[in-house]
Amino acid sequence: MASETDTVRSGTLTPNGSAPDPPEHRKVALITGITGQDGSYLTEFLLDKGYDVHGLIRRSSNFNTQRINHIYIDPHNAHKARMKLHYADLTDSSSLRRWLDIIAPNEVYNLAAQSHVAVSFEIPDYTADVVATGALRLLEAVRSHIAATGRTDIKYYQAGSSEMFGATPPPQSETTPFHPRSPYAVSKCAAHWYTVNYREAYSLFACNGILFNHESPRRGENFVTRKITRAVGRIKEGLQSKLFLGNLQASRDWGFAGDYVEAMWMMLQQEKPDDYVVATEESHTVEEFLEVSFGYVGLNWRDHVVIDKRYLRPSEVDNLKGDASKAKKVLGWKPKVGFQQLVKMMVDEDVELAKREKVLVDAGYMDAQQQP
Ligand code: NDP
Ligand code: GDR
């Protein structure tokens, strides 16, 4: 990692080995939430498409760039770099406007959020500030940047969520009424409508992606899928015996994050801005996820899972299953990774991770934590 005093860091990725276009021909993307699961996949995807990518990262007391370290290049090689990182925060309007003016992006992807539903009950005020007002701050920064520069070539993507449907029964499509069930989901509804309003009021090219749950080996470890696959790996390697969970009957439409970032990009390549549901159209309970993931390595989840009421939510979303026919028809998008393949991909990675942890534990360099 480069010096922490650098405010701009840079990196490049050329997975197909081809030389990038000259800078003056390259499209420029600005991503908030670049250090998150989706931000990392979207960055890889856009670099592969030949974009220059700028990411806004927030200050933290530790490095928070683990998911994009593999793309990172020391800023001393900045002439090669096609990914650059800048400090900003969705709670700080001035930082958003400043970087928009400096970067002058063609596409803005607003992925930053306090994205944990259960945590949003603990910190509702902060969640609204980042998720709802944060989106408004960024939209307003884009609008005022356009007003000041006269640019017409800037497009905006808002990371909306199936959580907005909440209590409304499946299948959920773009026309399904919202009934949010958490401070997070209410805030995402506000961000959704701010985006629609800026499209209608200022003719901004702004799209809402209404994405159903999407997972990967890079998923945060306190979301249920990754919490389970981490435990599967650790139990298999003898580093953990119990897994404490909440509601096992909740049903989710789980896809692969790598597939979903492509849909984000596709929305911004259309002639007209619009809103799209992105989903696999298949739903599984948490219990089914347990069956498949533990079963895959020859374990029985019932021997390990303990229900802990602390993981139950004050109001739950019982059943999400998307109808993605509009995205399929208009964008030509479809998911490539199915449920079984997704679970196996995550378990395979987490078994490998647990094996590496075990080496460190056995050598006395690390304590075996009971629960990630
Ligand atoms: P993550 O939680 O993995 O990433 C969230 C990102 O937002 C991180 O980069 C985080 O930074 C950043 N962030 C948080 N607070 C701030 C802030 N105040 N200012 C600037 N950046 C901030 O989420 P995902 O990648 O899974 O999701 C991306 C987006 O899509 C989120 O908006 C989420 O709500 C939404 N979404 C996700 C779905 C999913 O299933 N994954 C489904 C539908 C919507 P840091 O790394 O420092 O924490
Ligand atoms: P979700 O994802 O709330 O759908 O939001 P999460 O994985 O947190 O929960 C899914 C379901 O599993 C149940 N559950 C548990 N959840 C967690 N986190 N931990 C547990 O121990 C546990 N036990 C059972 C939950 O009650 C829930 O029903 C995710 C986030 O990525 C949001 O940002 C995004 O908008 C939505 O997906 C779509």
Side-chain angles (χ1 to χ4, degrees):
M1 261 300 157
S3 153
E4 254 307 84
T5 56
D6 293 330
T7 54
V8 179
R9 302 209 223 115
S10 51
T12 189
L13 181 80
T14 50
N16 59 17
S18 62
D21 289 336
E24 62 276 18
H25 297 141
R26 297 206 286 263
K27 275 194 174 176
V28 177
L30 175 62
I31 303 177
T32 73
I34 194 169
T35 56
Q37 170 188 253
D38 291 5
S40 68
Y41 283 107
L42 181 63
T43 300
E44 288 173 359
F45 178 84
L46 292 175
L47 289 172
D48 224 7
K49 287 244 169 258
Y51 283 61
D52 281 345
V53 175
H54 292 258
L56 301 186
I57 62 170
R58 58 180 179 162
R59 193 269 160 182
S60 84
S61 66
N62 266 319
F63 283 120
N64 55 359
T65 53
Q66 294 89 332
R67 292 188 179 97
I68 48 175
N69 281 347
H70 61 289
I71 313 170
Y72 172 80
I73 277 199
D74 188 290
H76 298 99
N77 289 328
H79 62 286
K80 283 190 193 166
R82 289 171 45 226
M83 177 189 77
K84 295 192 172 65
L85 303 178
H86 316 282
Y87 285 113
D89 200 295
L90 275 198
T91 60
D92 184 324
S93 308
S94 64
S95 65
L96 302 176
R97 176 64 200 275
R98 187 172 63 253
W99 285 118
L100 270 165
D101 287 347
I102 294 170
I103 295 161
N106 306 102
E107 295 172 12
V108 176
Y109 294 87
N110 184 28
L111 309 186
Q114 189 304 93
S115 73
H116 202 284
V117 173
V119 172
S120 78
F121 289 99
E122 309 291 330
I123 48 170
D125 191 341
Y126 173 75
T127 301
D129 194 19
V130 176
V131 176
T133 313
L136 175 63
R137 289 186 190 102
L138 187 57
L139 282 161
E140 185 53 20
V142 171
R143 186 199 66 75
S144 60
H145 167 76
I146 289 172
T149 59
R151 294 182 59 211
T152 54
D153 60 339
I154 184 163
K155 297 178 175 182
Y156 177 91
Y157 173 83
Q158 172 58 33
S161 166
S162 52
E163 281 293 299
M164 299 188 294
F165 298 123
T168 313
Q172 293 103 354
S173 73
E174 294 81 3
T175 55
T176 303
F178 295 153
H179 184 153
R181 297 272 285 169
S182 64
Y184 166 81
V186 174
S187 303
K188 280 288 181 190
C189 289
H192 174 96
W193 285 112
Y194 285 138
T195 305
V196 172
N197 181 241
Y198 270 62
R199 187 165 73 212
E200 292 175 356
Y202 306 114
S203 302
L204 185 67
F205 192 111
C207 300
N208 284 295
I210 307 175
L211 272 52
F212 282 62
N213 297 54
H214 44 280
E215 319 294 311
S216 74
R218 296 183 201 166
R219 183 59 140 153
E221 294 189 18
N222 58 357
F223 296 96
V224 77
T225 55
R226 188 79 201 288
K227 186 170 166 183
I228 292 171
T229 60
R230 278 291 272 143
V232 168
R234 291 166 57 80
I235 291 168
K236 183 83 184 148
E237 290 305 309
L239 296 171
Q240 183 176 330
S241 57
K242 297 290 176 211
L243 169 61
F244 297 95
L245 292 174
N247 177 14
L248 305 189
Q249 298 318 316
S251 204
R252 290 290 182 275
D253 181 331
W254 278 299
F256 171 53
D259 289 345
Y260 284 43
V261 298
E262 184 175 13
M264 298 175 187
W265 175 79
M266 285 172 152
M267 288 176 212
L268 298 197
Q269 311 315 309
Q270 303 307 304
E271 268 185 27
K272 289 187 182 151
D274 207 343
D275 306 327
Y276 298 89
V277 158
V278 179
T280 67
E281 305 187 326
E282 238 187 67
S283 193
H284 299 270
T285 61
V286 174
E287 191 172 308
E288 286 174 290
F289 196 100
L290 285 166
E291 288 278 1
V292 176
S293 55
F294 276 76
Y296 180 49
V297 296
L299 293 168
N300 183 346
W301 67 269
R302 290 173 201 279
D303 296 335
H304 303 281
V305 170
V306 178
I307 301 302
D308 183 338
K309 285 186 178 156
R310 89 174 69 173
Y311 297 114
L312 300 177
R313 297 169 182 186
S315 45
E316 176 63 288
V317 170
D318 295 321
N319 197 358
L320 293 175
K321 183 178 167 192
D323 169 356
S325 37
K326 180 175 169 184
K328 284 181 179 159
K329 186 164 172 254
V330 180
L331 304 178
W333 177 86
K334 63 172 195 261
K336 298 181 188 91
V337 177
F339 178 70
Q340 302 273 342
Q341 202 185 341
L342 173 67
V343 178
K344 287 174 183 170
M345 178 202 300
M346 293 176 71
V347 171
D348 282 340
E349 291 263 354
D350 280 334
V351 168
E352 281 310 307
L353 185 56
K355 280 183 183 159
R356 292 201 293 275
E357 276 180 359
K358 189 164 179 351
V359 172
L360 296 176
V361 170
D362 289 347
Y365 291 118
M366 197 177 132
D367 283 336
Q369 298 157 5
Q370 269 307 296
Q371 179 107 340

